[in-house]
Amino acid sequence: MIVLIRNAAVYQPEYAGKKDILILGDKIAAVEENIKAEFSGTISVEEIDGTGLLAVPGFVDSHEHIMGGGGEGGFMTRTPEAMLTDLTLNGITTVVGCIGTDGVTRDMAALLAKAHGLEEEGITTYVYTGSYQVPVHTLTGSLMKDIMLLDKVIGAGEIAISDHRSSQPTYEEFVRIVSDVRVGGMLSGKAGVVNIHLGDSPRLMDLIWRTVKETEIPFTQFLPTHVNRNEALFQSCMEFAKEGGVIDFTGNEEIDYWESICDEVRVCKGIRRLLEAGVSKDNFTVSSDGQGSLPVFNSRGEFQGIGVGKASCLLKEVKECVTREDIPLEIALRAVTSNPARILKLKKKGHILPDYHGDICLLREKDFSLHTVIAKGQVMVREGEAVVKGTFEKQGKKTGGK
């Protein structure tokens, strides 16, 4: 397949002007003005008019429960696994899968199988080894072996701290996990990042702070997530980012509801605060926590049941950064493209540049709505509809595949 996008406003994620983009196979071949290319009649070429469209890198979701999550309220509260269109219809072309609270009925073998299935359907997948629990439940019996010998494993997570559902790891246990993951990453050329689930305990990031102060392990070995859970936690995480650490916001489709019942920090407001505090635009990411479980309360604060996290929040958060906080689009995009790709050492991801993977989203300039999604050179969504075996499926409709 050859794809040629004409006259789109290209964000690499830095703005590069109006350009044509040529994709050959699964790679970007050229990003230039007025590309001239001739192909024989036997070669399939799809030409897309990019007039009025923004070409941005495909989104990298660094924290998604691809085989479902939840279960904290009993078996009936287990959440469903992610289907391909849960991702592609929301601009996600690369996803990192993880296990949450339930590391018993959901294990590494099942996570890897799900990741391979999504890869075969057309997107790029990676996983973290482990779950909330300590000792960490691995596939090979060793953190270092999982990272070094399993191609898709790029780190460990999500390890839970400061949460009543965690294993309440000691400092020594925590440091050993981070050390093994770091060395495993070094030996295999991978990121070796530990994805840390932060709960709402007053202990906040104590284990992480103690580790970087008392050992030689650098700030960059951690990717703490849910940093916008509450104001106190966010302030601690903002200090961590000022020191050079990277922090991960959790997107939220229902933030208006949550702001009414708690002090969760809206993603766009949090990013604005980071920038005003002098935090580098390279030191934050946004992930979806998609398919994870979310408690639902009524107006009196009474528990009503379990909801499900949505991958659609990534595009929504990018829009809000621009429209609510006047954050430049190229900075907002970094949080879901080049920043997670760099932090997780995902080669050839996160940019629209020659020799990078052909992962591109076309957004309508007028409202940032999704028009086209291309993953590894294949058109997965066309004019807001998923491509399914030569037909189309309306955006938002649940499916069992493409």
Side-chain angles (χ1 to χ4, degrees):
M1 172 65 75
I2 297 172
V3 178
L4 182 55
I5 303 168
R6 295 283 192 190
N7 195 40
V10 176
Y11 287 80
Q12 296 179 307
E14 299 79 12
Y15 182 59
K18 293 289 183 71
K19 304 282 186 180
D20 295 347
I21 304 170
L22 176 64
I23 303 173
L24 300 179
D26 64 352
K27 297 286 184 65
I28 297 171
V31 183
E32 302 173 7
E33 295 181 8
N34 302 314
I35 292 176
K36 300 186 185 302
E38 296 183 2
F39 304 97
S40 70
T42 60
I43 296 177
S44 175
V45 180
E46 177 161 353
E47 189 163 323
I48 300 172
D49 182 5
T51 304
L53 301 177
L54 311 175
V56 306
F59 295 168
V60 179
D61 191 353
S62 62
H63 185 107
E64 167 104 20
H65 297 275
I66 57 176
M67 64 174 179
E72 293 96 329
F75 294 116
M76 66 179 290
T77 63
R78 288 161 55 91
T79 63
E81 67 182 51
M83 295 295 104
L84 180 67
T85 46
D86 291 321
L87 305 172
T88 56
L89 284 171
N90 295 300
I92 297 168
T93 57
T94 301
V95 66
V96 184
C98 61
I99 303 173
T101 314
D102 181 6
V104 177
T105 66
R106 295 183 171 96
D107 60 18
M108 283 303 299
L111 180 63
L112 280 166
K114 178 63 179 179
H116 280 290
L118 289 170
E119 184 99 28
E120 290 176 4
E121 288 188 287
I123 65 172
T124 302
T125 60
Y126 299 93
V127 300
Y128 299 115
T129 187
S131 58
Y132 275 22
Q133 283 79 47
V134 174
V136 178
H137 299 173
T138 65
L139 185 64
T140 65
S142 161
L143 274 169
M144 291 180 67
K145 284 183 180 179
D146 271 20
I147 294 170
M148 292 178 65
L149 303 179
L150 303 176
D151 288 348
K152 287 195 174 297
V153 177
I154 58 173
E158 59 177 308
I159 308 297
I161 65 172
S162 301
D163 194 297
H164 65 95
R165 296 164 294 178
S166 81
S167 297
Q168 309 305 325
T170 65
Y171 169 69
E172 290 74 18
E173 288 174 319
F174 186 73
V175 170
R176 179 56 56 86
I177 290 169
V178 180
S179 301
D180 285 353
V181 174
R182 172 176 169 78
V183 175
M186 292 170 63
L187 293 173
S188 59
K190 296 178 181 177
V193 162
V194 184
N195 183 244
I196 304 291
H197 165 100
L198 296 173
D200 53 11
S201 161
R203 290 183 294 166
L204 305 172
M205 297 178 65
D206 285 357
L207 278 175
I208 298 176
W209 277 115
R210 184 178 175 188
T211 300
V212 297
K213 289 178 180 179
E214 297 184 13
T215 75
E216 298 74 34
I217 295 170
F219 286 88
T220 51
Q221 217 62 48
F222 301 93
L223 183 58
T225 190
H226 316 319
V227 302
N228 51 318
R229 179 187 294 275
N230 59 54
E231 178 61 29
L233 179 60
F234 179 68
Q235 289 191 23
S236 179
C237 293
M238 186 159 59
E239 291 304 313
F240 184 76
K242 286 181 183 178
E243 294 289 335
V246 175
I247 61 175
D248 180 55
F249 290 87
T250 299
N252 193 336
E253 274 283 8
E254 310 296 335
I255 186 59
D256 291 331
Y257 159 76
W258 283 98
E259 279 189 324
S260 70
I261 64 171
C262 68
D263 62 344
E264 179 170 338
V265 177
R266 200 178 195 110
V267 170
C268 60
K269 292 181 180 178
I271 292 178
R272 167 57 66 191
R273 289 170 63 183
L274 290 180
L275 296 172
E276 290 177 348
V279 172
S280 169
K281 60 186 178 182
D282 296 328
N283 283 25
F284 54 84
T285 63
V286 180
S287 64
S288 75
D289 202 18
Q291 305 308 120
S293 61
L294 300 171
V296 177
F297 303 91
N298 62 21
S299 59
R300 297 184 297 276
E302 299 167 336
F303 177 74
Q304 299 295 294
I306 297 290
V308 181
K310 300 176 182 178
S312 55
C313 66
L314 294 191
L315 180 55
K316 172 255 184 186
E317 302 297 5
V318 170
K319 292 179 185 178
E320 283 205 349
C321 282
V322 177
T323 59
R324 292 178 68 101
E325 293 295 326
D326 200 30
I327 295 170
L329 178 59
E330 50 262 48
I331 293 179
L333 285 171
R334 294 175 75 92
V336 295
T337 59
S338 58
N339 284 358
R342 187 195 73 256
I343 293 157
L344 299 177
K345 291 189 177 181
L346 308 183
K347 297 177 181 178
K348 306 300 182 182
K349 298 290 184 183
H351 293 273
I352 298 180
L353 292 169
D355 200 39
Y356 274 63
H357 285 154
D359 298 341
I360 295 173
C361 295
L362 296 178
L363 310 177
R364 295 179 179 88
E365 191 170 11
K366 61 181 180 180
D367 60 4
F368 299 104
S369 61
L370 196 66
H371 180 279
T372 300
V373 176
I374 302 168
K376 293 190 288 187
Q378 297 293 314
V379 177
M380 309 296 283
V381 175
R382 187 181 289 118
E383 296 188 11
E385 299 180 337
V387 178
V388 187
K389 295 179 181 179
T391 63
F392 301 105
E393 178 180 3
K394 290 190 179 298
Q395 185 169 357
K397 180 180 175 183
K398 290 289 183 182
T399 76
K402 291 185 185 177

